[in-house]
């Protein structure tokens, strides 16, 4: 029988919440760095894509997420846990390769990038003591993608993914993918558009992929960090989210 340890002290809870708030702040700054590299506004990037591509993005993203769930899980049989820098290195290299050939190669690279992103999120879950093979953790991994992407304006919607999940079944996971796909499609569409920039396509692809990987790694730490803190502190997850929300609504000073 598992023996539960005593809940951590309130001071320790507050300290860990501040660390997670700092991660959230660092994640939100990533998009600005990317826009400085590729030049332009996030809102206008999607206008660079052909209409046919824009209309198919949600369907392509839904398919990519579904395939990524299986592929990312299979990869754990080869490399159980990969260091955080490896995911960033892989996606950066793929983004550069995808940008070299313009839109066709960028589209071909998209599902692979989604798989690596999902795998890096799973690795963060493992860091916090969760098993990616469990349906509930798989659900949480997909939920991380519901956070606003690094090229989106911070409208507070990046906190929506922290809500308590419903009863998790295979159907629930498919339903979540269907809800997340359109939002993620918009984010990935901005990435694809950046990769079509003449001459700078490879650099833009590398920069955006690096930013996306860094962003989702940080947001995964926030997500699973709060899950772990709820367990360690013996407090309701929803209560911790409200405490966390108060912290991120004001500037967070670095220690």
């Amino acid at each position: 029988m598992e023996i539960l340890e005593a809940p951590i002290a309130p001071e320790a809870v507050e300290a860990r919440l501040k660390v997670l708030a700092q991660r959230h702040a660092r994640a939100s700054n990533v998009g600005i760095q990317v826009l400085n590299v590729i030049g332009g506004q996030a809102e206008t990037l999607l206008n660079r894509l052909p209409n046919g591509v824009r209309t198919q993005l949600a369907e392509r993203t839904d398919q990519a997420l579904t395939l990524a769930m299986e592929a990312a899980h299979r990869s754990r049989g080869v490399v159980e846990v990969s260091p955080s820098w490896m995911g960033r290195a892989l996606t950066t290299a793929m983004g550069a390769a995808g940008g070299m050939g313009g839109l066709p190669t960028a589209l071909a690279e998209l599902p692979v990038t989604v798989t690596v992103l999902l795998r890096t999120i799973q690795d963060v879950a493992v860091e916090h003591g969760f098993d990616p093979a469990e349906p509930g953790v798989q659900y949480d991994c997909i939920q991380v993608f519901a956070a606003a992407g690094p090229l989106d304006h911070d409208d507070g919607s990046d906190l929506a993914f922290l809500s308590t999940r419903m009863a998790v079944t295979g159907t629930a996971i498919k339903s979540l993918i269907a809800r997340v796909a359109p939002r993620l499609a918009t984010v990935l569409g901005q990435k694809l558009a950046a990769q079509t920039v003449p001459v700078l396509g490879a650099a833009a692809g590398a920069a955006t992929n690096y930013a996306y990987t860094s962003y989702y790694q940080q947001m995964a730490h926030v997500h699973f960090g709060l899950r772990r803190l709820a367990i360690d502190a013996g407090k309701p997850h929803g209560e911790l989210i409200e405490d966390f929300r108060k912290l991120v609504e004001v500037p967070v000073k670095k220690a």
Side-chain angles (χ1 to χ4, degrees), residues 97-171:
M100 285 181 182
L103 188 57
T105 54
L107 283 170
E109 170 248 323
L110 186 146
V112 183
T113 293
V114 172
T115 300
V116 177
L117 286 175
L118 184 57
R119 172 58 200 263
T120 61
I121 292 171
Q122 289 182 349
D123 287 340
V124 173
V126 173
E127 282 188 52
H128 290 277
F130 297 99
D131 182 1
E134 295 181 359
V137 179
Q138 293 176 6
Y139 188 95
D140 277 349
C141 287
I142 295 294
Q143 267 194 308
V144 173
F145 280 123
L151 298 187
D152 282 357
H153 287 303
D154 184 9
D155 57 2
S157 55
D158 52 349
L159 291 178
F161 79 104
L162 295 172
S163 60
T164 304
R165 63 180 183 264
M166 59 177 137
V168 176
T169 62
T171 302

Side-chain angles (χ1 to χ4, degrees), residues 21-34 148-156 158-159 211 214-216 218-219 222 248:
Q22 289 168 0
R23 281 191 177 275
H24 185 275
R26 287 197 296 271
S28 300
N29 290 332
V30 173
I32 298 175
Q33 299 170 12
V34 177
L151 298 187
D152 282 357
H153 287 303
D154 184 9
D155 57 2
D158 52 349
L159 291 178
S214 300
Y215 175 85
Y216 286 117
Q218 296 287 4
M219 296 305 282
V222 172
V248 299

Side-chain angles (χ1 to χ4, degrees), residues 90-103:
L90 283 173
T91 55
T92 300
M94 288 188 300
M100 285 181 182
L103 188 57

Side-chain angles (χ1 to χ4, degrees), residues 2-195:
E2 183 180 2
I3 299 177
L4 298 178
E5 297 182 359
I8 61 176
E11 295 79 8
V13 173
E14 183 178 359
R16 284 168 61 172
L17 281 173
K18 287 182 178 178
V19 170
L20 294 175
Q22 289 168 0
R23 281 191 177 275
H24 185 275
R26 287 197 296 271
S28 300
N29 290 332
V30 173
I32 298 175
Q33 299 170 12
V34 177
L35 288 176
N36 287 337
V37 173
I38 63 179
Q41 299 293 322
E43 298 85 356
T44 63
L45 286 176
L46 283 175
N47 294 330
R48 297 176 182 172
L49 294 176
N51 289 333
V53 173
R54 290 204 300 268
T55 56
Q56 295 177 17
L57 267 176
E59 182 180 353
R60 286 176 178 266
T61 305
D62 190 308
Q63 293 172 349
L65 277 173
T66 301
L67 293 174
M69 283 293 294
E70 182 180 349
H73 184 64
R74 281 203 312 267
S75 71
R76 307 199 70 81
V78 180
V79 180
E80 187 173 352
V81 179
S82 58
S84 59
W85 63 264
M86 184 178 294
R88 293 192 295 270
L90 283 173
T91 55
T92 300
M94 288 188 300
M100 285 181 182
L103 188 57
T105 54
L107 283 170
E109 170 248 323
L110 186 146
V112 183
T113 293
V114 172
T115 300
V116 177
L117 286 175
L118 184 57
R119 172 58 200 263
T120 61
I121 292 171
Q122 289 182 349
D123 287 340
V124 173
V126 173
E127 282 188 52
H128 290 277
F130 297 99
D131 182 1
E134 295 181 359
V137 179
Q138 293 176 6
Y139 188 95
D140 277 349
C141 287
I142 295 294
Q143 267 194 308
V144 173
F145 280 123
L151 298 187
D152 282 357
H153 287 303
D154 184 9
D155 57 2
S157 55
D158 52 349
L159 291 178
F161 79 104
L162 295 172
S163 60
T164 304
R165 63 180 183 264
M166 59 177 137
V168 176
T169 62
T171 302
I173 293 176
K174 290 180 181 178
S175 176
L176 178 66
I177 288 176
R179 295 202 311 273
V180 169
R183 180 173 180 80
L184 183 59
T186 300
V187 174
L188 294 179
Q190 294 166 348
K191 184 186 90 70
L192 289 175
Q195 289 176 285

